[in-house]
Amino acid sequence: MKNKSHSLVGVIMGSKSDWKTMIHCCDTLKKFGVKHEVKIISAHRTPNRLHKFLNEAKKNKIEVIIAGAGGAAHLAGVTASITTLPVLGVPIESKLKGLDSLLSTVQMPSGIPVGTLAIGKAGAINSALLAISILSTVHKKIYKKLLIYRKNFEKKVPKKPF
Ligand code: RP5
């Protein structure tokens, strides 16, 4: 039997410096009331932490993992290679404006997929919304919240540009 209050999403990021971007992911998850856990985990700086987190994620019934990383951003790809959970990658803005992060995250050779979002804040927000879409296929409450969000989202777009 599932504990109703367990985290559904694991949000990991390579460095504390990624938090100013990934906070937008967590804020979005919060708006939908989606419980999540947040950790600094780097594929190259803390590989043991990554393995421990993924073992626990399985036991704790996490359903989606979001990984934000910048530069040589292999966190999402390495994560996806260890787990069968869906992994969403957020390329963090970097010295190369995030293009390095984007390519490192998106250009996975066939076999191990990473669902890659846009660079920076938009990607962080969309990673949460995509996780919410994935969860909404089995969690009715989340599905209802997503429908309301979409309805309101459309209303916010002005009909005229002036
Ligand atoms: C990556 O290196 C992190 O994801 C971060 O975006 C980047 C720079 O890290 P710091 O030098 O700011 O810790 O692993």
Side-chain angles (χ1 to χ4, degrees):
M1 186 77 180
K2 269 188 189 177
N3 170 8
K4 275 193 172 170
S5 67
H6 76 278
S7 290
L8 294 173
V9 180
V11 180
I12 59 177
M13 63 207 78
S15 168
K16 195 173 179 191
S17 64
D18 298 329
W19 177 239
K20 58 183 179 298
T21 303
M22 296 308 289
I23 191 172
H24 299 290
C25 164
C26 295
D27 283 350
T28 306
L29 291 171
K30 268 186 210 154
K31 278 182 197 153
F32 281 80
V34 172
K35 270 201 88 182
H36 54 283
E37 54 184 79
V38 187
K39 286 185 175 14
I40 296 172
I41 295 179
S42 161
H44 57 278
R45 289 174 178 158
T46 66
N48 293 323
R49 218 186 272 182
L50 178 59
H51 282 271
K52 190 169 175 269
F53 167 73
L54 291 174
N55 278 334
E56 282 166 9
K58 207 173 172 189
K59 280 185 213 144
N60 295 338
K61 305 213 182 303
I62 279 181
E63 295 181 33
V64 183
I65 294 175
I66 297 174
H74 37 236
L75 179 61
V78 175
T79 300
S81 76
I82 302 168
T83 183
T84 54
L85 291 172
V87 176
L88 309 181
V90 180
I92 302 291
E93 276 185 41
S94 64
K95 285 181 182 142
L96 301 181
K97 296 188 189 281
L99 196 57
D100 46 353
S101 324
L102 173 67
L103 295 177
S104 314
T105 307
V106 78
Q107 284 291 46
M108 289 295 289
S110 74
I112 303 292
V114 168
T116 305
L117 287 303
I119 297 167
K121 181 178 173 183
I125 293 170
N126 279 347
S127 69
L129 291 171
L130 187 52
I132 285 159
S133 287
I134 294 167
L135 294 169
S136 76
T137 62
V138 285
H139 296 271
K140 270 190 181 160
K141 274 189 188 165
I142 295 176
Y143 175 65
K144 281 181 188 161
K145 284 182 187 171
L146 184 57
L147 286 183
I148 292 166
Y149 163 82
R150 286 287 180 95
K151 243 184 181 174
N152 292 334
F153 188 75
E154 187 165 353
K155 278 184 203 156
K156 279 185 205 156
V157 180
K159 291 197 173 136
K160 292 188 177 181
F162 48 84

